[in-house]
Amino acid sequence: MHGHRASPSPEVDVFQLSLALLSLLSVLWPAAEPPVPERWHAWPTIRIFPHTVPGTSPSGARVTYVLAGVAPETSCRAAFQRRALPALPGCLTALRATYTDSTETYVATVGIAVLAKPGRRTSARWGGRPPTVRPAAFSGGPAERFGARQYFTGGRAAVRDRYVVLAAAGYADGRAYRPGDRAPARLRATARQLATALHRNLTR
């Protein structure tokens, strides 16, 4: 006697068809991005601070900046130097991460200031090292000796929306800045490119 195989019920067919349609719709119409001002807490950390960030050297060669570590969210006063705070009015919170270039020669901390309302542009010029984010060191790698005495230069992204991004860059070998030291173009480019890239990532 041959066994009888039951036919799928219409309810099962409808359910499977619904799943297929939902999958298709999720591809054609992906979930809407959160508004720009909400991305700092709506996005996962790895999207705010990507594992790698592309850049170019002053000579035009390709450069890759590699994530060394992400610091815990903190207050703006704890994350940014006192002289930098006037340019961050209504700063609500701060996010920081440190990157190195792929040769592990340079290191830079990038700080994202989340503002209550769009910031304002500043044209102040500083002698020596500009006011910027406080460096964040991470043990066990090229950023473990990066501190307040080790940053040589800074970078700042153009103000737009509710984020201001500042960067502090120095050498991975731990050398300390001395008054009168000039940062090479490659180091200045590191700070500027990382600040600009992460600002663009949040706001584009």
Side-chain angles (χ1 to χ4, degrees):
M1 181 177 178
H2 297 289
H4 177 70
R5 185 177 181 181
S7 299
S9 67
E11 290 81 3
V12 172
D13 290 340
V14 170
F15 177 72
Q16 292 174 340
L17 179 61
S18 298
L19 288 179
L21 287 174
L22 286 173
S23 298
L24 180 61
L25 288 174
S26 67
V27 173
L28 297 176
W29 290 282
E33 285 281 10
V36 169
E38 298 178 11
R39 290 177 182 174
W40 70 273
H41 62 80
W43 280 1
T45 300
I46 198 62
R47 188 166 180 188
I48 297 171
F49 296 114
H51 181 66
T52 59
V53 176
T56 56
S57 71
S59 65
R62 291 184 180 181
V63 177
T64 299
Y65 302 111
V66 181
L67 184 65
V70 178
E73 179 183 340
T74 189
S75 70
C76 299
R77 288 187 175 276
F80 299 99
Q81 297 171 356
R82 181 177 56 82
R83 294 187 304 159
L85 293 175
L88 309 173
C91 187
L92 301 175
T93 191
L95 312 175
R96 288 185 300 165
T98 298
Y99 286 81
T100 65
D101 73 322
S102 54
T103 67
E104 298 187 354
T105 301
Y106 302 120
V107 60
T109 294
V110 185
I112 299 173
V114 181
L115 308 183
K117 58 183 180 181
R120 62 173 182 266
R121 296 181 183 275
T122 60
S123 57
R125 294 185 178 276
W126 300 86
R129 299 184 296 175
T132 186
V133 63
R134 299 183 191 276
F138 294 90
S139 61
E144 65 181 355
R145 290 184 286 178
F146 192 44
R149 297 177 60 243
Q150 281 70 39
Y151 95 91
F152 275 64
T153 188
R156 185 173 187 270
V159 175
R160 190 175 68 197
D161 300 300
R162 284 170 46 184
Y163 305 106
V164 175
V165 184
L166 302 178
Y171 294 91
D173 62 10
R175 75 184 72 173
Y177 172 85
R178 296 175 299 180
D181 283 348
R182 292 181 60 85
R186 178 73 176 272
L187 194 53
R188 296 196 303 271
T190 295
R192 183 178 65 254
Q193 289 180 17
L194 280 168
T196 301
L198 295 185
H199 185 274
R200 186 187 302 119
N201 180 50
L202 267 175
T203 58
R204 65 185 174 188

